[in-house]
Amino acid sequence: MKRCVIICGGEIGDCGKIKSVISDTDKIICADYGYVHAVNMGLVPDVVVGDFDSVDKKSVVCDTIAEVPAKKDFT
């Protein structure tokens, strides 16, 4: 089964548990600081999305990077 896994920022209590449910065939999308979590788990994301306020965009190793504006609209 093909799946997409989205890793975002926040606290991860057990990276090993998270990594154990991610398959080699999963597409991995990281949202901003989720990239750091992925790297810490030894994962290479397929896509990194964010405004890069918590991660240096120049340090991101990924084929597809989608940068969004840091300025957000208030609703």
Side-chain angles (χ1 to χ4, degrees), residues 18-61:
I18 301 297
K19 186 176 179 182
S20 73
V21 297
I22 298 175
S23 167
D24 290 342
T25 59
D26 290 339
K27 296 295 181 188
I28 300 172
I29 299 173
C30 293
D32 240 343
Y33 196 80
Y35 176 75
V36 175
H37 291 316
V39 168
N40 289 339
M41 288 185 270
L43 302 171
V44 177
D46 297 288
V47 178
V48 177
V49 179
D51 60 6
F52 298 94
D53 63 344
S54 56
V55 176
D56 181 9
K57 183 180 170 185
K58 294 174 188 165
S59 69
V60 173
V61 177

